[in-house]
Amino acid sequence: MAIKVLVVDDSSFFRRRVSEIINSDPRLEVIDVAVNGKEAVEKAKSLKPDVITMDIEMPVMDGISAVREIMKACPTPTLMFSSLTHDGAKATLDALDAGALDFLPKKFEDIARNRDEAVSLLQKRIAEIARKKSFMRRPVLSSQSTSTVESRTATTRTATSALTASPVKAAAPAAPIAQRFKATGKKYQLTAIGTSTGGPVALQKILTAIPANYPHPIILVQHMPATFTAAFAARLNNLCKIQVKEAEDGDVLKPGCAYLAPGGLQMMVDGRPGASRLKILDGGERMNYKPCVDVTFGSAAKVYGDKVLSMILTGMGADGREGCRMLKAGGATIWSQDEQSCVVYGMPQAVDKAGLSSESLPLDRIAERMLVEVGLK
């Protein structure tokens, strides 16, 4: 069965253009269109699409308000179309906060180098987030009740923990108690996190739970357009106890501070442990990702060796796998986000399949696990 898509935009030209692209993929089918947010909410309820593509600025009701209403009434995977401006970035982050799963630039030339690549990426994104529909419709239980953790050894792998369940009836057995974490005893001097699709929400969830006295620097690589990273860093800085900033060339890494790689460029760690700086370099024409997790993680492996606590979170593709391979070779610790809590399991799956991650963690327990590991809990 084809994935049913509702296209929402006040521009008839854009509705037609997006509909043609979606319908050209045999996996996808546009079942209707809406011209404003109010109509989108009504059609989401009556048509129950698998995915919604949503503009931000529309008359009657804007896209952010529509996403909030849809997530309350009938949670549906939603892909936002955004302008690549500072205001567009802020609005997109608000939409992700409201429940949208992903975003793409509204100008196709900003999505990829050529039209065919842009079309393919849009189709892929819709197909990927459609997989989260059943997850969004199930009630998510708190981390206090059901979340457990998956550990891996060279030969065995325990079953992945359930993050979701049906509402518990009175006669049902008690929910399992959340597994208690134990620190491995390793010493660290750097935390490194890489992510893509679904990353803004995941990073916000983790970093807002980190106290100001976190003992070492945190470097963050989020696939994001150049105009978005400054707005995202500012947003995180306002919400977090630690300091969060968009990384600049020459930044000295300090404990309790997180550095977000700037969009369109590459971020590398240089120097030696305890006296390291960031180098911000040209993105590179041939590089698929700017910033690239592999580039940053690889540089961290050279400088910090086994003193890195690293994580690969939700994201499409396999960026981070080779960087994690270099970290692993140096004795660093690598964790991945578990499949059920990912928007897209691509990047964590690549690391898991390569046998590089020692633990697979649900999103709502990653911060807790970090604090236990570094001795703050």
Coordinates of all heavy atoms in Angstrom, one line a residue, residues 282-368:
D282 N 36.6 24.9 5.6 CA 35.7 24.9 4.5 C 35.0 23.5 4.4 O 35.7 22.5 4.6 CB 36.5 25.2 3.2 CG 35.6 25.1 1.9 OD1 34.9 26.1 1.7 OD2 35.6 24.1 1.2
G283 N 33.8 23.5 4.0 CA 33.0 22.3 4.0 C 33.5 21.2 3.1 O 33.4 20.0 3.3
G284 N 34.1 21.6 1.9 CA 34.6 20.6 1.0 C 33.6 20.3 -0.1 O 32.5 19.8 0.3
E285 N 33.9 20.5 -1.3 CA 32.9 20.3 -2.4 C 32.4 18.9 -2.5 O 31.3 18.6 -2.8 CB 33.5 20.8 -3.7 CG 33.4 22.2 -4.0 CD 32.0 22.8 -4.0 OE1 31.2 22.2 -4.7 OE2 31.8 23.8 -3.3
R286 N 33.3 18.0 -2.2 CA 33.0 16.5 -2.4 C 32.3 15.9 -1.2 O 31.9 14.8 -1.3 CB 34.3 15.7 -2.8 CG 34.9 16.2 -4.1 CD 36.1 15.3 -4.4 NE 36.7 15.7 -5.7 CZ 37.7 15.1 -6.2 NH1 38.3 14.0 -5.6 NH2 38.2 15.5 -7.4
M287 N 32.3 16.6 -0.1 CA 31.7 16.1 1.1 C 30.2 16.1 1.0 O 29.6 17.1 0.7 CB 32.2 16.9 2.3 CG 33.7 16.9 2.6 SD 34.3 15.3 2.9 CE 33.6 15.0 4.5
N288 N 29.6 14.9 1.4 CA 28.1 14.8 1.4 C 27.5 15.6 2.6 O 26.4 16.2 2.5 CB 27.7 13.4 1.5 CG 27.8 12.6 0.2 OD1 27.8 13.2 -0.9 ND2 28.1 11.4 0.3
Y289 N 28.2 15.7 3.7 CA 27.7 16.3 4.9 C 28.6 17.4 5.3 O 29.8 17.3 5.4 CB 27.6 15.3 6.0 CG 26.7 14.1 5.7 CD1 27.3 12.8 5.5 CD2 25.4 14.2 5.5 CE1 26.5 11.7 5.1 CE2 24.6 13.1 5.2 CZ 25.2 11.9 5.0 OH 24.4 10.8 4.6
K290 N 28.0 18.6 5.6 CA 28.7 19.8 6.1 C 27.9 20.4 7.1 O 26.9 21.1 6.8 CB 28.9 20.8 4.9 CG 29.6 20.2 3.7 CD 29.6 21.2 2.6 CE 29.8 20.6 1.2 NZ 29.7 21.5 0.1
P291 N 28.1 20.1 8.4 CA 29.3 19.4 9.0 C 29.1 17.9 8.9 O 28.0 17.4 8.7 CB 29.3 19.9 10.4 CG 27.8 20.1 10.7 CD 27.2 20.7 9.4
C292 N 30.2 17.2 9.0 CA 30.3 15.8 8.9 C 30.7 15.2 10.2 O 31.8 15.6 10.8 CB 31.3 15.4 7.8 SG 31.6 13.6 7.6
V293 N 30.0 14.2 10.7 CA 30.3 13.6 12.0 C 31.6 12.8 11.9 O 32.4 12.9 12.8 CB 29.2 12.6 12.4 CG1 29.5 12.0 13.8 CG2 27.8 13.3 12.5
D294 N 31.8 12.1 10.8 CA 33.1 11.4 10.6 C 34.3 12.3 10.8 O 35.3 11.9 11.4 CB 33.1 10.7 9.2 CG 32.2 9.5 9.1 OD1 31.9 8.8 10.2 OD2 31.7 9.2 8.0
V295 N 34.3 13.4 10.2 CA 35.4 14.4 10.2 C 35.7 14.8 11.7 O 36.8 14.7 12.1 CB 35.1 15.6 9.3 CG1 36.2 16.7 9.6 CG2 35.1 15.2 7.9
T296 N 34.6 15.2 12.4 CA 34.8 15.7 13.7 C 35.2 14.6 14.7 O 36.2 14.7 15.5 CB 33.5 16.4 14.2 OG1 33.1 17.4 13.4 CG2 33.7 16.9 15.6
F297 N 34.5 13.4 14.6 CA 34.9 12.3 15.5 C 36.3 11.8 15.2 O 37.0 11.4 16.1 CB 33.9 11.2 15.3 CG 32.6 11.3 16.1 CD1 32.1 12.6 16.4 CD2 31.8 10.2 16.5 CE1 30.9 12.7 17.2 CE2 30.7 10.4 17.2 CZ 30.2 11.6 17.5
G298 N 36.7 11.8 13.9 CA 38.0 11.3 13.6 C 39.1 12.2 14.2 O 40.1 11.7 14.7
S299 N 38.9 13.5 14.1 CA 39.8 14.4 14.7 C 39.9 14.3 16.3 O 40.9 14.4 16.9 CB 39.5 15.9 14.3 OG 38.3 16.3 14.9
A300 N 38.7 14.0 16.9 CA 38.6 13.8 18.3 C 39.4 12.6 18.7 O 40.1 12.6 19.8 CB 37.2 13.8 18.8
A301 N 39.3 11.6 17.9 CA 40.0 10.3 18.2 C 41.5 10.5 18.2 O 42.2 10.0 19.1 CB 39.7 9.2 17.1
K302 N 42.0 11.4 17.3 CA 43.5 11.6 17.2 C 44.0 12.4 18.4 O 45.1 12.1 18.9 CB 43.8 12.4 15.9 CG 43.7 11.5 14.7 CD 44.0 12.4 13.4 CE 43.8 11.5 12.2 NZ 44.0 12.4 10.9
V303 N 43.2 13.3 18.9 CA 43.6 14.2 20.0 C 43.4 13.5 21.4 O 44.2 13.5 22.2 CB 42.9 15.5 20.0 CG1 43.2 16.4 21.2 CG2 43.3 16.3 18.7
Y304 N 42.2 12.9 21.5 CA 41.8 12.5 22.9 C 41.9 10.9 23.1 O 41.7 10.5 24.2 CB 40.4 12.9 23.2 CG 40.3 14.4 23.6 CD1 40.0 15.4 22.6 CD2 40.4 14.8 24.9 CE1 40.0 16.7 23.0 CE2 40.3 16.1 25.3 CZ 40.1 17.1 24.3 OH 40.0 18.4 24.7
G305 N 42.1 10.2 22.0 CA 42.2 8.7 22.2 C 41.1 8.1 22.9 O 39.9 8.2 22.5
D306 N 41.4 7.4 24.0 CA 40.3 6.7 24.8 C 39.6 7.5 25.8 O 38.7 7.0 26.5 CB 41.0 5.5 25.5 CG 41.9 5.9 26.6 OD1 42.3 7.1 26.6 OD2 42.3 5.0 27.4
K307 N 39.8 8.8 25.8 CA 39.2 9.7 26.7 C 37.9 10.4 26.2 O 37.5 11.4 26.7 CB 40.2 10.8 27.2 CG 41.5 10.3 27.8 CD 41.2 9.7 29.2 CE 42.5 9.4 29.9 NZ 43.3 8.3 29.3
V308 N 37.3 9.8 25.1 CA 36.1 10.3 24.5 C 34.9 9.5 24.9 O 34.9 8.3 24.7 CB 36.3 10.4 23.0 CG1 35.0 11.1 22.4 CG2 37.5 11.2 22.6
L309 N 33.9 10.2 25.3 CA 32.5 9.5 25.5 C 31.7 10.0 24.3 O 31.4 11.2 24.2 CB 31.9 10.0 26.8 CG 30.5 9.5 27.1 CD1 30.3 8.0 27.1 CD2 30.0 10.1 28.4
S310 N 31.4 9.1 23.4 CA 30.7 9.5 22.2 C 29.3 8.9 22.0 O 29.1 7.8 22.5 CB 31.6 9.2 21.0 OG 31.8 7.9 20.9
M311 N 28.5 9.6 21.3 CA 27.1 9.1 21.0 C 26.7 9.4 19.6 O 27.0 10.4 19.1 CB 26.1 9.7 22.0 CG 26.1 9.1 23.3 SD 25.7 10.4 24.6 CE 27.4 10.9 25.1
I312 N 26.0 8.4 19.0 CA 25.4 8.6 17.7 C 23.9 8.6 17.9 O 23.3 7.5 18.4 CB 25.8 7.6 16.6 CG1 27.3 7.7 16.3 CG2 25.0 7.7 15.3 CD1 27.7 9.0 15.5
L313 N 23.2 9.7 17.5 CA 21.8 9.8 17.7 C 21.0 9.6 16.4 O 21.6 9.5 15.4 CB 21.4 11.1 18.4 CG 22.1 11.5 19.7 CD1 21.6 12.8 20.2 CD2 22.0 10.4 20.7
T314 N 19.7 9.7 16.5 CA 18.8 9.6 15.3 C 19.4 10.3 14.1 O 19.9 11.4 14.2 CB 17.4 10.1 15.7 OG1 16.6 10.1 14.5 CG2 17.5 11.5 16.3
G315 N 19.2 9.7 12.9 CA 19.6 10.4 11.7 C 19.6 9.4 10.5 O 19.8 8.2 10.6
M316 N 19.4 10.0 9.3 CA 19.4 9.2 8.1 C 20.8 9.0 7.6 O 21.7 9.8 7.8 CB 18.6 9.9 7.0 CG 18.3 9.1 5.8 SD 17.3 10.0 4.6 CE 15.8 10.3 5.4
G317 N 21.1 7.8 6.9 CA 22.4 7.6 6.4 C 23.4 6.9 7.3 O 22.9 6.2 8.3
A318 N 24.7 7.0 7.1 CA 25.7 6.3 7.9 C 26.8 7.2 8.4 O 27.8 6.7 8.8 CB 26.2 5.1 7.1
D319 N 26.6 8.5 8.3 CA 27.6 9.4 8.8 C 27.9 9.2 10.3 O 26.9 9.0 11.1 CB 27.2 10.9 8.6 CG 28.3 11.9 9.0 OD1 29.5 11.5 8.9 OD2 28.0 13.1 9.3
G320 N 29.1 9.1 10.7 CA 29.5 8.8 12.1 C 30.1 7.4 12.2 O 30.9 7.2 13.1
R321 N 29.8 6.5 11.3 CA 30.3 5.1 11.4 C 31.8 5.1 11.3 O 32.4 4.4 12.2 CB 29.7 4.2 10.3 CG 30.2 2.8 10.4 CD 29.5 2.0 9.3 NE 29.7 2.5 8.0 CZ 29.0 2.3 6.9 NH1 28.0 1.5 7.0 NH2 29.3 2.8 5.7
E322 N 32.4 5.7 10.3 CA 33.8 5.7 10.2 C 34.5 6.5 11.3 O 35.6 6.1 11.8 CB 34.3 6.2 8.8 CG 33.7 5.4 7.7 CD 33.9 3.8 7.9 OE1 35.0 3.4 8.2 OE2 32.8 3.1 7.8
G323 N 33.9 7.6 11.7 CA 34.5 8.3 12.9 C 34.5 7.5 14.1 O 35.4 7.5 14.9
C324 N 33.4 6.7 14.3 CA 33.3 5.9 15.5 C 34.3 4.7 15.4 O 34.8 4.3 16.4 CB 31.8 5.3 15.6 SG 30.7 6.5 16.3
R325 N 34.6 4.3 14.2 CA 35.5 3.2 14.0 C 36.9 3.7 14.5 O 37.7 3.0 15.1 CB 35.6 2.8 12.5 CG 36.1 1.4 12.3 CD 36.2 1.1 10.8 NE 34.9 1.1 10.1 CZ 34.1 0.1 10.1 NH1 34.3 -1.0 10.8 NH2 32.9 0.2 9.3
M326 N 37.2 4.9 14.2 CA 38.5 5.5 14.6 C 38.5 5.7 16.1 O 39.5 5.4 16.8 CB 38.7 6.9 13.9 CG 39.0 6.8 12.5 SD 39.2 8.4 11.6 CE 40.8 8.9 12.3
L327 N 37.4 6.1 16.7 CA 37.3 6.3 18.1 C 37.4 4.9 18.8 O 38.2 4.8 19.8 CB 35.9 6.9 18.5 CG 35.8 8.4 18.3 CD1 34.3 8.8 18.4 CD2 36.6 9.2 19.3
K328 N 36.8 3.9 18.3 CA 36.8 2.6 18.9 C 38.2 2.0 18.9 O 38.7 1.4 19.8 CB 35.9 1.7 18.1 CG 35.8 0.2 18.7 CD 34.7 0.2 19.7 CE 34.4 -1.3 20.1 NZ 33.3 -1.4 21.1
A329 N 38.9 2.3 17.8 CA 40.3 1.8 17.6 C 41.2 2.4 18.7 O 42.2 1.8 19.2 CB 40.9 2.1 16.3
G330 N 40.9 3.6 19.1 CA 41.6 4.3 20.2 C 41.2 4.0 21.6 O 41.7 4.6 22.5
G331 N 40.1 3.2 21.7 CA 39.7 2.8 23.0 C 38.6 3.7 23.6 O 38.2 3.6 24.8
A332 N 38.0 4.6 22.8 CA 36.9 5.4 23.2 C 35.6 4.7 23.5 O 35.4 3.5 23.0 CB 36.7 6.6 22.2
T333 N 34.7 5.3 24.2 CA 33.3 4.7 24.4 C 32.3 5.2 23.4 O 32.3 6.4 23.2 CB 32.9 5.0 25.9 OG1 33.8 4.4 26.8 CG2 31.5 4.5 26.1
I334 N 31.5 4.3 22.8 CA 30.5 4.7 21.9 C 29.2 4.1 22.2 O 29.1 2.9 22.5 CB 30.9 4.2 20.4 CG1 32.3 4.8 20.0 CG2 29.8 4.5 19.4 CD1 33.0 4.0 19.0
W335 N 28.2 5.0 22.3 CA 26.8 4.6 22.6 C 26.0 5.0 21.4 O 26.3 5.9 20.6 CB 26.2 5.3 23.8 CG 26.9 4.9 25.1 CD1 27.7 3.9 25.4 CD2 26.9 5.8 26.3 NE1 28.2 3.9 26.7 CE2 27.7 5.1 27.2 CE3 26.3 7.0 26.6 CZ2 27.9 5.6 28.5 CZ3 26.5 7.5 27.9 CH2 27.3 6.8 28.8
S336 N 24.8 4.3 21.2 CA 23.9 4.7 20.1 C 22.5 4.8 20.7 O 22.2 4.3 21.7 CB 23.9 3.6 19.0 OG 23.5 2.3 19.6
Q337 N 21.7 5.6 20.0 CA 20.3 5.7 20.4 C 19.5 4.5 19.9 O 19.8 4.1 18.7 CB 19.7 7.0 19.8 CG 18.3 7.3 20.2 CD 17.7 8.6 19.6 OE1 18.5 9.5 19.2 NE2 16.4 8.8 19.6
D338 N 18.6 4.0 20.6 CA 17.9 2.8 20.2 C 16.9 3.1 19.1 O 16.5 4.2 18.9 CB 17.3 2.0 21.4 CG 16.0 2.7 21.9 OD1 15.6 3.8 21.5 OD2 15.4 2.1 22.9
E339 N 16.6 2.0 18.4 CA 15.7 2.1 17.2 C 14.4 2.8 17.5 O 13.9 3.6 16.8 CB 15.5 0.8 16.5 CG 14.7 0.8 15.2 CD 14.6 -0.5 14.5 OE1 15.2 -1.5 15.0 OE2 14.0 -0.5 13.4
Q340 N 13.7 2.3 18.6 CA 12.4 2.8 18.9 C 12.2 4.2 19.2 O 11.2 4.9 18.9 CB 11.8 1.9 20.0 CG 11.3 0.5 19.6 CD 10.7 -0.2 20.7 OE1 11.4 -0.6 21.6 NE2 9.4 -0.4 20.7
S341 N 13.3 4.8 19.7 CA 13.2 6.3 20.1 C 13.8 7.2 19.0 O 13.7 8.4 19.1 CB 13.9 6.6 21.4 OG 15.3 6.3 21.3
C342 N 14.3 6.6 17.9 CA 14.9 7.4 16.8 C 13.7 7.8 15.8 O 12.8 7.1 15.6 CB 15.8 6.5 16.0 SG 17.5 6.3 16.7
V343 N 13.9 9.0 15.3 CA 13.0 9.4 14.2 C 13.4 8.6 12.9 O 12.6 8.0 12.2 CB 13.1 10.9 13.9 CG1 12.4 11.3 12.6 CG2 12.6 11.7 15.1
V344 N 14.7 8.5 12.7 CA 15.3 7.6 11.7 C 16.5 6.9 12.3 O 17.4 7.5 12.8 CB 15.8 8.4 10.4 CG1 16.4 7.5 9.4 CG2 14.6 9.2 9.8
Y345 N 16.5 5.6 12.2 CA 17.5 4.7 12.8 C 18.8 4.6 12.0 O 19.7 3.9 12.4 CB 16.8 3.4 13.1 CG 17.7 2.4 13.9 CD1 18.4 2.7 15.0 CD2 17.8 1.0 13.4 CE1 19.2 1.8 15.7 CE2 18.5 0.1 14.1 CZ 19.2 0.5 15.2 OH 20.0 -0.5 15.9
G346 N 18.9 5.2 10.9 CA 20.0 5.0 9.9 C 21.4 5.1 10.6 O 22.2 4.2 10.5
M347 N 21.7 6.3 11.1 CA 23.1 6.5 11.7 C 23.4 5.6 12.9 O 24.4 4.9 12.9 CB 23.3 8.0 12.0 CG 23.4 8.8 10.8 SD 23.3 10.6 11.1 CE 24.6 10.9 12.3
P348 N 22.5 5.4 13.8 CA 22.8 4.5 14.9 C 22.8 3.1 14.4 O 23.7 2.3 14.9 CB 21.6 4.7 15.9 CG 21.1 6.1 15.6 CD 21.3 6.2 14.1
Q349 N 22.0 2.7 13.5 CA 22.0 1.3 12.9 C 23.3 1.0 12.3 O 23.9 -0.1 12.4 CB 20.9 1.2 11.9 CG 20.8 -0.3 11.4 CD 19.7 -0.4 10.4 OE1 19.5 0.5 9.5 NE2 18.9 -1.5 10.5
A350 N 23.9 2.0 11.5 CA 25.2 1.8 10.9 C 26.3 1.5 11.9 O 27.1 0.6 11.7 CB 25.5 3.0 10.0
V351 N 26.2 2.2 13.0 CA 27.2 2.0 14.1 C 27.0 0.7 14.8 O 27.9 0.0 15.1 CB 27.2 3.2 15.1 CG1 28.0 2.9 16.3 CG2 27.7 4.5 14.4
D352 N 25.7 0.4 15.0 CA 25.4 -0.9 15.7 C 25.8 -2.1 14.9 O 26.4 -3.0 15.4 CB 23.9 -1.0 16.0 CG 23.4 0.0 17.0 OD1 24.3 0.6 17.7 OD2 22.2 0.3 17.1
K353 N 25.5 -2.0 13.6 CA 25.7 -3.2 12.7 C 27.3 -3.4 12.5 O 27.7 -4.5 12.3 CB 25.1 -2.9 11.3 CG 23.6 -3.3 11.2 CD 23.2 -3.3 9.8 CE 21.8 -3.9 9.7 NZ 21.2 -3.8 8.3
A354 N 28.0 -2.3 12.6 CA 29.5 -2.4 12.5 C 30.1 -2.9 13.9 O 31.3 -3.1 13.9 CB 30.1 -1.1 12.2
G355 N 29.2 -3.1 14.9 CA 29.7 -3.6 16.2 C 30.5 -2.6 17.0 O 31.4 -3.0 17.8
L356 N 30.2 -1.3 16.7 CA 31.0 -0.3 17.4 C 30.5 0.3 18.7 O 31.2 0.8 19.5 CB 31.2 0.9 16.4 CG 31.9 0.5 15.0 CD1 31.8 1.7 14.1 CD2 33.4 0.1 15.3
S357 N 29.1 0.1 18.9 CA 28.5 0.7 20.1 C 28.5 -0.4 21.2 O 28.1 -1.5 20.9 CB 27.1 1.2 19.7 OG 26.3 0.2 19.2
S358 N 28.7 0.1 22.4 CA 28.7 -0.8 23.5 C 27.3 -0.8 24.2 O 27.0 -1.8 24.9 CB 29.8 -0.4 24.6 OG 29.6 0.9 25.0
E359 N 26.5 0.3 24.0 CA 25.2 0.3 24.6 C 24.3 1.0 23.6 O 24.6 2.0 22.9 CB 25.2 1.1 25.9 CG 26.0 0.4 27.0 CD 26.0 1.2 28.3 OE1 24.9 1.8 28.7 OE2 27.0 1.3 29.0
S360 N 23.0 0.5 23.6 CA 21.9 1.2 22.8 C 20.9 1.7 23.8 O 20.4 0.9 24.6 CB 21.3 0.1 21.9 OG 20.3 0.7 21.1
L361 N 20.7 3.0 23.8 CA 19.9 3.6 24.8 C 18.7 4.4 24.3 O 18.7 5.0 23.2 CB 20.8 4.7 25.5 CG 22.1 4.2 26.2 CD1 23.1 5.3 26.3 CD2 21.7 3.6 27.6
P362 N 17.6 4.3 25.0 CA 16.4 5.1 24.7 C 16.7 6.6 24.9 O 17.4 6.9 25.9 CB 15.3 4.6 25.6 CG 16.0 3.9 26.7 CD 17.3 3.4 26.2
L363 N 16.2 7.4 24.1 CA 16.5 8.8 24.2 C 16.2 9.4 25.6 O 17.0 10.2 26.1 CB 15.6 9.6 23.1 CG 15.7 11.1 23.2 CD1 17.2 11.6 23.0 CD2 14.8 11.8 22.2
D364 N 15.1 9.0 26.2 CA 14.8 9.6 27.5 C 15.7 9.2 28.6 O 15.5 9.6 29.8 CB 13.3 9.4 27.8 CG 12.9 7.9 28.0 OD1 13.8 7.0 27.8 OD2 11.8 7.6 28.4
R365 N 16.7 8.3 28.4 CA 17.6 7.9 29.4 C 19.1 8.2 29.1 O 19.9 7.9 29.9 CB 17.4 6.4 29.8 CG 16.0 6.1 30.3 CD 16.0 4.8 31.1 NE 16.6 4.9 32.3 CZ 17.0 3.9 33.1 NH1 16.8 2.7 32.7 NH2 17.5 4.1 34.3
I366 N 19.3 8.8 28.0 CA 20.7 9.1 27.6 C 21.4 10.1 28.5 O 22.5 9.9 29.0 CB 20.8 9.6 26.1 CG1 20.4 8.4 25.2 CG2 22.2 10.1 25.8 CD1 20.4 8.8 23.7
A367 N 20.7 11.2 28.9 CA 21.3 12.1 29.8 C 21.6 11.5 31.2 O 22.7 11.7 31.7 CB 20.4 13.3 30.0
E368 N 20.7 10.7 31.6 CA 20.9 10.0 32.9 C 22.1 9.1 32.8 O 23.0 9.1 33.8 CB 19.6 9.2 33.3 CG 19.7 8.4 34.5 CD 18.6 7.4 34.7 OE1 17.7 7.3 33.8 OE2 18.7 6.5 35.6

